[in-house]
Amino acid sequence: MLLRIHQALEPQELAQVRSLITGADWTDGRVTAGGQSAGVKNNQQLPEDLAAAQQARHMVSVALARNPMFVTGALPKTVYPPLFNRYGAHANSFGDHIDNAVRTHAPTARHVRTDISCTLFLSDPADYDGGELVVQDTYGEQRIKFAAGDLVMYPGTSVHRVEPVTRGERLACFFWIESMVRRDDQRRLLYEMDMAILALRRAGGDTPETVKLTGCYHNLLRMWAEV
Ligand code: NI
């Protein structure tokens, strides 16, 4: 399931995150790449331990935790602390790859299975050319270039790339989620059910049927969740 979360960051949060990271010391993005992806990766990243990266990461984490769409779409168990990247000039693309299945957060030695990959766009699409995130999913290629502040989540099993940025620069935040529900098809079913129940309750309030459906949602989640 490929899901867009509109305004995961509100405008003032976006401005603050951007100002924190824009002037920071960026390094070669290959530091977090696996063997195959290192060969096709050509971008820059913020070192994880940089004070600016830590502050920006905290702001993103707080914003995501309060976002009901993010929570219901991802059913997060563990979120890898968000990272930041920059594409532009000579470090401007990332060819086809699949993200490593397990990321280990070095400072805490915690493992995160990457069920879901996320990109949070931090640059206005009018400020750069190229830079589309291209994700191969069941229905073909999706070319994604969202408004600044919007987030996309997609299955970690997908081959994806970032097209060369040919003008301006593209700032983004990226991270992975280990979900309480490992399988994408089960997460999709739960998400669609949750949205349908929400719409029914909005339209007609609580009825014996919505109570029953809500129970079905939780019983499916109980069946599938690993916590
Ligand atoms: Ni990737």
Side-chain angles (χ1 to χ4, degrees), residues 129-200:
D129 290 333
E132 293 86 357
L133 170 67
V134 182
V135 180
Q136 290 176 19
D137 79 359
T138 333
Y139 305 109
E141 277 191 355
Q142 306 285 329
R143 298 180 68 83
I144 300 155
K145 189 171 178 175
F146 287 164
D150 286 9
L151 176 143
V152 62
M153 58 171 88
Y154 56 97
T157 49
S158 320
V159 172
H160 59 279
R161 66 176 180 272
V162 175
E163 297 282 41
V165 170
T166 54
R167 177 187 63 88
E169 67 172 23
R170 173 196 191 270
L171 293 174
C173 171
F174 67 103
F175 55 95
W176 303 273
I177 299 164
E178 180 170 327
S179 177
M180 291 187 282
V181 176
R182 178 179 193 152
R183 283 177 52 166
D184 181 60
D185 55 347
Q186 293 173 337
R187 282 196 307 275
R188 180 195 291 262
L189 190 152
L190 287 167
Y191 174 76
E192 285 175 356
M193 196 170 179
D194 199 12
M195 290 299 108
I197 293 169
L198 200 65
L200 284 173

Coordinates of all heavy atoms in Angstrom, one line a residue, residues 129-200:
D129 N 14.0 20.6 -10.3 CA 13.5 19.7 -11.4 C 14.0 18.3 -11.2 O 15.2 18.1 -10.6 CB 14.1 20.2 -12.7 CG 13.4 21.6 -13.1 OD1 12.3 21.8 -12.7 OD2 14.1 22.3 -13.9
G130 N 13.3 17.3 -11.6 CA 13.7 15.9 -11.4 C 13.4 15.6 -9.9 O 12.5 16.2 -9.3
G131 N 14.1 14.6 -9.4 CA 14.0 14.2 -8.0 C 12.8 13.4 -7.7 O 12.5 13.3 -6.5
E132 N 12.1 12.9 -8.7 CA 10.9 12.1 -8.4 C 11.3 10.8 -7.7 O 12.3 10.2 -8.0 CB 10.1 11.7 -9.6 CG 9.5 12.8 -10.4 CD 10.4 13.5 -11.3 OE1 11.6 13.2 -11.4 OE2 9.9 14.5 -12.0
L133 N 10.6 10.4 -6.7 CA 10.8 9.1 -6.1 C 9.9 8.1 -6.9 O 8.7 8.3 -7.0 CB 10.2 9.1 -4.6 CG 10.1 7.7 -3.9 CD1 11.5 7.1 -3.7 CD2 9.4 7.9 -2.6
V134 N 10.6 7.1 -7.5 CA 9.9 6.2 -8.4 C 9.8 4.9 -7.7 O 10.8 4.3 -7.4 CB 10.6 6.1 -9.8 CG1 9.8 5.2 -10.7 CG2 10.8 7.5 -10.4
V135 N 8.6 4.4 -7.4 CA 8.4 3.2 -6.7 C 7.7 2.2 -7.6 O 6.7 2.5 -8.2 CB 7.5 3.4 -5.4 CG1 7.3 2.1 -4.7 CG2 8.2 4.5 -4.5
Q136 N 8.2 1.0 -7.7 CA 7.6 -0.1 -8.5 C 6.6 -0.8 -7.5 O 7.1 -1.3 -6.5 CB 8.6 -1.0 -9.0 CG 9.5 -0.4 -10.1 CD 10.5 -1.3 -10.6 OE1 10.5 -2.5 -10.4 NE2 11.6 -0.8 -11.2
D137 N 5.3 -0.7 -7.9 CA 4.4 -1.5 -7.0 C 3.6 -2.4 -7.9 O 3.9 -2.5 -9.1 CB 3.5 -0.6 -6.2 CG 2.4 0.1 -6.9 OD1 2.3 -0.2 -8.1 OD2 1.6 0.8 -6.3
T138 N 2.6 -3.1 -7.4 CA 1.9 -4.1 -8.1 C 1.2 -3.6 -9.4 O 1.0 -4.3 -10.3 CB 0.7 -4.6 -7.2 OG1 1.1 -4.4 -5.8 CG2 0.3 -6.0 -7.4
Y139 N 0.9 -2.3 -9.4 CA 0.2 -1.7 -10.6 C 1.2 -0.9 -11.5 O 0.7 -0.1 -12.2 CB -0.9 -0.8 -10.1 CG -1.9 -1.6 -9.2 CD1 -1.9 -1.3 -7.8 CD2 -2.7 -2.6 -9.6 CE1 -2.8 -2.0 -6.9 CE2 -3.5 -3.3 -8.8 CZ -3.6 -3.0 -7.5 OH -4.4 -3.7 -6.6
G140 N 2.5 -1.1 -11.4 CA 3.4 -0.4 -12.2 C 4.2 0.6 -11.4 O 4.3 0.5 -10.2
E141 N 4.8 1.6 -12.2 CA 5.6 2.6 -11.5 C 4.8 3.8 -11.0 O 4.0 4.3 -11.7 CB 6.6 3.1 -12.5 CG 7.8 2.2 -12.7 CD 9.0 2.9 -13.5 OE1 8.7 4.0 -14.0 OE2 10.0 2.3 -13.6
Q142 N 5.1 4.2 -9.8 CA 4.5 5.4 -9.3 C 5.6 6.4 -9.2 O 6.6 6.2 -8.7 CB 4.0 5.1 -7.8 CG 3.0 4.0 -7.7 CD 1.6 4.3 -8.2 OE1 1.2 5.4 -8.2 NE2 1.0 3.2 -8.8
R143 N 5.3 7.6 -9.8 CA 6.3 8.7 -9.7 C 5.8 9.7 -8.7 O 4.8 10.3 -8.9 CB 6.4 9.3 -11.1 CG 7.0 8.3 -12.2 CD 7.1 8.9 -13.5 NE 8.2 9.9 -13.6 CZ 9.5 9.6 -13.7 NH1 9.8 8.3 -13.8 NH2 10.4 10.5 -13.7
I144 N 6.6 9.9 -7.7 CA 6.1 10.7 -6.5 C 6.9 11.9 -6.3 O 8.2 11.8 -6.1 CB 6.1 9.8 -5.3 CG1 5.2 8.6 -5.5 CG2 5.6 10.5 -4.0 CD1 5.5 7.4 -4.7
K145 N 6.2 13.0 -6.3 CA 6.9 14.3 -6.0 C 5.9 15.2 -5.3 O 5.1 15.9 -5.9 CB 7.4 15.0 -7.3 CG 8.3 16.2 -7.1 CD 8.9 16.6 -8.5 CE 9.7 17.8 -8.3 NZ 10.4 18.2 -9.6
F146 N 5.8 15.1 -4.0 CA 4.8 15.7 -3.2 C 5.1 17.1 -2.7 O 6.3 17.5 -2.7 CB 4.4 14.8 -2.0 CG 3.7 13.5 -2.3 CD1 3.6 12.5 -1.4 CD2 3.1 13.4 -3.6 CE1 2.9 11.3 -1.7 CE2 2.4 12.2 -3.9 CZ 2.3 11.2 -2.9
A147 N 4.1 17.8 -2.3 CA 4.3 19.1 -1.7 C 5.2 19.0 -0.4 O 5.3 17.9 0.2 CB 3.0 19.7 -1.3
A148 N 6.0 20.1 -0.1 CA 6.8 20.1 1.1 C 5.9 19.9 2.3 O 4.8 20.5 2.4 CB 7.5 21.4 1.2
G149 N 6.3 19.0 3.2 CA 5.5 18.7 4.4 C 4.7 17.4 4.2 O 4.2 16.9 5.2
D150 N 4.5 16.9 3.0 CA 3.8 15.7 2.8 C 4.7 14.5 2.9 O 5.9 14.6 2.5 CB 3.1 15.7 1.4 CG 1.9 16.6 1.3 OD1 1.7 17.4 2.3 OD2 1.2 16.6 0.3
L151 N 4.1 13.4 3.3 CA 4.9 12.1 3.5 C 4.3 11.0 2.6 O 3.1 10.9 2.4 CB 4.8 11.8 5.0 CG 5.5 10.5 5.4 CD1 6.1 10.7 6.8 CD2 4.5 9.3 5.5
V152 N 5.2 10.2 2.1 CA 4.7 9.0 1.4 C 5.2 7.8 2.2 O 6.4 7.8 2.6 CB 5.1 8.9 -0.1 CG1 6.6 8.9 -0.3 CG2 4.5 7.7 -0.8
M153 N 4.4 6.8 2.4 CA 4.9 5.5 2.9 C 4.5 4.4 1.9 O 3.5 4.4 1.2 CB 4.3 5.2 4.3 CG 2.8 5.1 4.4 SD 2.3 4.5 6.0 CE 2.2 6.0 7.0
Y154 N 5.5 3.5 1.7 CA 5.3 2.4 0.8 C 6.0 1.1 1.3 O 6.9 1.2 2.2 CB 5.9 2.8 -0.6 CG 7.3 3.2 -0.6 CD1 8.3 2.4 -1.0 CD2 7.6 4.5 -0.3 CE1 9.6 2.8 -1.0 CE2 9.0 5.0 -0.3 CZ 9.9 4.1 -0.7 OH 11.3 4.5 -0.7
P155 N 5.6 -0.1 0.8 CA 6.2 -1.3 1.4 C 7.7 -1.3 1.2 O 8.2 -1.0 0.1 CB 5.5 -2.4 0.6 CG 4.3 -1.8 -0.1 CD 4.6 -0.3 -0.2
G156 N 8.4 -1.7 2.2 CA 9.9 -1.9 2.2 C 10.3 -2.9 1.1 O 11.5 -2.9 0.7
T157 N 9.4 -3.7 0.6 CA 9.8 -4.7 -0.4 C 9.9 -4.2 -1.8 O 10.3 -4.9 -2.7 CB 8.7 -5.8 -0.4 OG1 7.4 -5.2 -0.5 CG2 8.7 -6.7 0.9
S158 N 9.6 -2.9 -2.0 CA 9.5 -2.3 -3.3 C 10.9 -1.8 -3.8 O 11.6 -1.2 -3.1 CB 8.6 -1.1 -3.3 OG 7.4 -1.2 -2.5
V159 N 11.1 -2.1 -5.1 CA 12.3 -1.5 -5.8 C 11.9 0.0 -6.0 O 10.8 0.3 -6.4 CB 12.5 -2.2 -7.1 CG1 13.6 -1.4 -7.9 CG2 13.0 -3.6 -7.0
H160 N 12.9 0.8 -5.7 CA 12.6 2.3 -5.9 C 13.9 3.0 -6.2 O 15.0 2.5 -6.1 CB 11.9 2.8 -4.6 CG 12.8 2.7 -3.4 ND1 12.8 1.5 -2.7 CD2 13.6 3.5 -2.8 CE1 13.6 1.6 -1.6 NE2 14.1 2.9 -1.7
R161 N 13.7 4.2 -6.7 CA 14.9 5.1 -7.0 C 14.5 6.6 -6.8 O 13.3 6.9 -6.7 CB 15.4 4.8 -8.4 CG 14.4 5.2 -9.5 CD 15.0 5.0 -10.9 NE 14.1 5.4 -12.0 CZ 13.2 4.6 -12.5 NH1 13.0 3.4 -12.1 NH2 12.3 5.0 -13.5
V162 N 15.5 7.4 -6.8 CA 15.3 8.9 -6.9 C 15.9 9.4 -8.2 O 17.1 9.2 -8.4 CB 15.8 9.6 -5.7 CG1 15.7 11.1 -5.8 CG2 15.1 9.1 -4.4
E163 N 15.1 10.0 -9.1 CA 15.6 10.5 -10.4 C 16.6 11.6 -10.1 O 16.5 12.3 -9.1 CB 14.4 11.0 -11.2 CG 13.4 9.9 -11.5 CD 13.8 9.0 -12.7 OE1 15.0 8.6 -12.8 OE2 12.9 8.7 -13.5
P164 N 17.5 11.8 -11.1 CA 18.5 12.9 -10.9 C 17.8 14.3 -10.8 O 16.8 14.5 -11.4 CB 19.2 12.9 -12.2 CG 19.1 11.5 -12.7 CD 17.7 11.0 -12.3
V165 N 18.3 15.0 -9.8 CA 17.8 16.4 -9.7 C 18.7 17.3 -10.6 O 19.9 17.3 -10.5 CB 18.0 16.9 -8.2 CG1 17.7 18.4 -8.0 CG2 17.0 16.1 -7.3
T166 N 18.0 17.9 -11.5 CA 18.8 18.7 -12.6 C 18.8 20.2 -12.3 O 19.4 20.9 -13.0 CB 18.2 18.4 -14.0 OG1 16.8 18.6 -13.9 CG2 18.4 16.9 -14.3
R167 N 17.9 20.7 -11.4 CA 18.0 22.1 -11.0 C 17.6 22.2 -9.5 O 16.7 21.5 -9.1 CB 17.0 22.9 -11.9 CG 16.9 24.4 -11.5 CD 15.7 25.1 -12.2 NE 14.4 24.6 -11.9 CZ 13.6 25.0 -10.9 NH1 14.0 26.0 -10.1 NH2 12.4 24.5 -10.7
G168 N 18.2 23.1 -8.8 CA 17.9 23.3 -7.4 C 18.3 22.1 -6.5 O 19.1 21.3 -6.9
E169 N 17.7 22.0 -5.3 CA 18.0 20.9 -4.5 C 16.8 20.4 -3.8 O 15.8 21.1 -3.7 CB 19.1 21.3 -3.4 CG 18.6 22.3 -2.4 CD 19.5 22.5 -1.2 OE1 20.7 22.2 -1.4 OE2 19.1 22.9 -0.1
R170 N 16.9 19.1 -3.5 CA 15.7 18.4 -3.0 C 16.1 17.9 -1.6 O 17.0 17.0 -1.4 CB 15.4 17.2 -3.9 CG 14.3 16.2 -3.3 CD 14.5 14.9 -4.2 NE 13.4 14.0 -4.0 CZ 13.4 13.0 -3.1 NH1 14.4 12.9 -2.2 NH2 12.4 12.1 -3.1
L171 N 15.5 18.5 -0.6 CA 15.7 18.0 0.8 C 14.6 17.1 1.2 O 13.4 17.3 0.9 CB 15.7 19.2 1.8 CG 16.8 20.3 1.7 CD1 16.5 21.4 2.6 CD2 18.2 19.6 2.0
A172 N 14.9 16.0 1.9 CA 13.9 15.1 2.4 C 14.3 14.5 3.7 O 15.5 14.5 4.1 CB 13.6 14.1 1.4
C173 N 13.3 14.0 4.4 CA 13.6 13.2 5.6 C 13.1 11.8 5.2 O 12.1 11.6 4.5 CB 12.7 13.7 6.7 SG 12.6 12.8 8.2
F174 N 13.9 10.8 5.7 CA 13.5 9.4 5.3 C 13.8 8.5 6.5 O 14.6 8.7 7.3 CB 14.3 8.9 4.1 CG 15.8 8.8 4.3 CD1 16.3 7.5 4.4 CD2 16.6 9.9 4.3 CE1 17.7 7.4 4.6 CE2 18.0 9.7 4.5 CZ 18.5 8.5 4.7
F175 N 13.0 7.4 6.6 CA 13.1 6.5 7.7 C 12.3 5.2 7.4 O 11.6 5.1 6.4 CB 12.6 7.1 9.0 CG 11.2 7.7 9.0 CD1 10.2 6.9 9.4 CD2 11.0 9.0 8.5 CE1 8.9 7.4 9.4 CE2 9.7 9.5 8.4 CZ 8.6 8.7 8.9
W176 N 12.4 4.3 8.3 CA 11.7 3.0 8.1 C 10.9 2.7 9.4 O 11.2 3.2 10.5 CB 12.7 1.9 7.9 CG 13.6 2.1 6.8 CD1 13.4 1.8 5.5 CD2 14.9 2.8 6.8 NE1 14.4 2.2 4.7 CE2 15.4 2.8 5.5 CE3 15.7 3.3 7.8 CZ2 16.6 3.4 5.1 CZ3 16.9 3.9 7.5 CH2 17.4 3.9 6.2
I177 N 9.9 1.8 9.2 CA 9.0 1.5 10.3 C 8.9 -0.1 10.3 O 8.7 -0.7 9.3 CB 7.6 2.0 10.0 CG1 7.6 3.5 10.0 CG2 6.6 1.5 11.1 CD1 6.3 4.1 9.4
E178 N 9.1 -0.6 11.5 CA 8.7 -2.0 11.8 C 7.3 -1.9 12.3 O 7.0 -1.2 13.3 CB 9.6 -2.6 12.8 CG 9.2 -4.1 13.1 CD 10.2 -4.8 13.9 OE1 11.4 -4.6 13.8 OE2 9.8 -5.7 14.7
S179 N 6.4 -2.5 11.6 CA 4.9 -2.4 11.9 C 4.5 -3.6 12.8 O 5.1 -4.7 12.8 CB 4.1 -2.5 10.6 OG 2.7 -2.5 10.9
M180 N 3.5 -3.3 13.6 CA 2.9 -4.4 14.4 C 2.3 -5.5 13.6 O 2.2 -6.6 14.0 CB 1.8 -3.8 15.4 CG 2.3 -2.9 16.4 SD 1.0 -2.4 17.6 CE 0.2 -1.2 16.6
V181 N 2.0 -5.1 12.3 CA 1.4 -6.0 11.3 C 2.4 -6.1 10.2 O 2.6 -5.2 9.4 CB 0.0 -5.6 10.9 CG1 -0.5 -6.5 9.8 CG2 -1.0 -5.6 12.0
R182 N 3.1 -7.2 10.1 CA 4.2 -7.4 9.2 C 3.8 -7.3 7.7 O 4.5 -6.8 6.9 CB 4.9 -8.7 9.5 CG 6.0 -9.1 8.7 CD 6.6 -10.4 9.2 NE 7.9 -10.7 8.6 CZ 8.8 -11.4 9.2 NH1 8.6 -11.9 10.3 NH2 10.0 -11.6 8.6
R183 N 2.7 -7.9 7.4 CA 2.3 -8.1 6.0 C 1.5 -6.9 5.5 O 0.6 -6.4 6.1 CB 1.4 -9.4 5.9 CG 2.3 -10.6 5.9 CD 1.4 -11.9 5.8 NE 0.5 -11.8 4.6 CZ -0.2 -12.9 4.2 NH1 0.0 -14.0 4.8 NH2 -1.0 -12.7 3.2
D184 N 2.0 -6.5 4.3 CA 1.4 -5.3 3.6 C -0.1 -5.5 3.3 O -0.9 -4.6 3.5 CB 2.2 -5.0 2.4 CG 1.6 -3.8 1.7 OD1 1.6 -2.7 2.3 OD2 1.1 -3.9 0.5
D185 N -0.5 -6.7 2.9 CA -1.9 -7.0 2.5 C -2.8 -6.9 3.7 O -3.9 -6.4 3.7 CB -2.1 -8.3 1.7 CG -1.5 -9.5 2.4 OD1 -0.8 -9.3 3.4 OD2 -1.8 -10.6 2.0
Q186 N -2.3 -7.3 4.9 CA -3.1 -7.3 6.1 C -3.2 -5.8 6.6 O -4.2 -5.4 7.0 CB -2.4 -8.2 7.2 CG -2.5 -9.6 6.8 CD -1.8 -10.5 7.8 OE1 -0.8 -10.1 8.5 NE2 -2.1 -11.8 7.9
R187 N -2.1 -5.1 6.5 CA -2.1 -3.6 6.9 C -3.1 -2.9 6.0 O -3.9 -2.0 6.5 CB -0.8 -3.0 6.7 CG 0.2 -3.3 7.9 CD 1.4 -2.3 7.9 NE 2.0 -2.2 6.6 CZ 3.0 -3.1 6.2 NH1 3.4 -4.0 7.0 NH2 3.6 -2.9 5.0
R188 N -3.1 -3.2 4.7 CA -4.0 -2.5 3.8 C -5.5 -2.8 4.1 O -6.3 -1.9 4.2 CB -3.8 -3.0 2.3 CG -4.7 -2.3 1.3 CD -4.6 -3.1 0.0 NE -3.3 -2.9 -0.6 CZ -3.0 -2.0 -1.6 NH1 -4.0 -1.2 -2.0 NH2 -1.8 -1.9 -2.1
L189 N -5.8 -4.1 4.4 CA -7.1 -4.4 4.8 C -7.6 -3.7 6.0 O -8.7 -3.2 6.1 CB -7.2 -6.0 5.0 CG -8.5 -6.6 5.1 CD1 -8.5 -8.0 4.6 CD2 -9.0 -6.6 6.5
L190 N -6.7 -3.7 7.0 CA -7.1 -3.0 8.3 C -7.3 -1.5 8.1 O -8.2 -0.9 8.6 CB -5.9 -3.2 9.3 CG -5.9 -4.6 9.9 CD1 -4.6 -4.8 10.7 CD2 -7.1 -4.9 10.8
Y191 N -6.4 -0.9 7.2 CA -6.5 0.5 6.9 C -7.8 0.8 6.2 O -8.5 1.8 6.6 CB -5.3 1.0 6.1 CG -5.4 2.4 5.6 CD1 -5.1 3.4 6.5 CD2 -5.8 2.7 4.3 CE1 -5.2 4.8 6.1 CE2 -5.9 4.0 3.9 CZ -5.6 5.0 4.8 OH -5.8 6.3 4.4
E192 N -8.2 0.0 5.2 CA -9.4 0.3 4.5 C -10.6 0.1 5.4 O -11.6 0.9 5.3 CB -9.5 -0.6 3.3 CG -8.5 -0.1 2.2 CD -8.4 -0.9 1.0 OE1 -9.1 -2.0 0.9 OE2 -7.7 -0.5 0.0
M193 N -10.6 -0.9 6.2 CA -11.7 -1.1 7.2 C -11.8 0.0 8.2 O -12.9 0.5 8.4 CB -11.4 -2.4 7.9 CG -12.6 -3.0 8.6 SD -12.2 -4.7 9.2 CE -13.7 -5.1 10.0
D194 N -10.7 0.5 8.7 CA -10.7 1.6 9.6 C -11.3 2.9 9.0 O -12.1 3.5 9.6 CB -9.2 1.9 10.1 CG -9.2 2.7 11.4 OD1 -10.2 2.8 12.0 OD2 -8.1 3.1 11.7
M195 N -10.9 3.1 7.7 CA -11.4 4.3 7.1 C -12.9 4.2 6.8 O -13.7 5.2 6.9 CB -10.7 4.5 5.7 CG -9.2 4.9 5.9 SD -9.0 6.5 6.7 CE -8.3 6.0 8.3
A196 N -13.4 3.0 6.4 CA -14.8 2.8 6.1 C -15.6 2.9 7.4 O -16.7 3.6 7.4 CB -15.0 1.4 5.5
I197 N -15.1 2.4 8.5 CA -15.8 2.5 9.8 C -15.9 4.0 10.2 O -17.0 4.5 10.6 CB -15.1 1.7 10.9 CG1 -15.3 0.2 10.6 CG2 -15.7 2.0 12.3 CD1 -14.4 -0.7 11.5
L198 N -14.8 4.7 10.0 CA -14.8 6.2 10.3 C -15.8 6.9 9.5 O -16.6 7.7 10.1 CB -13.4 6.7 10.0 CG -12.9 8.0 10.6 CD1 -12.8 7.8 12.1 CD2 -11.6 8.4 10.1
A199 N -15.9 6.6 8.2 CA -16.9 7.3 7.4 C -18.3 6.9 7.8 O -19.2 7.8 7.8 CB -16.7 6.9 5.9
L200 N -18.6 5.7 8.1 CA -19.9 5.3 8.6 C -20.3 6.0 9.9 O -21.4 6.5 10.0 CB -19.9 3.8 8.9 CG -20.0 2.9 7.6 CD1 -19.9 1.4 8.1 CD2 -21.3 3.1 6.9

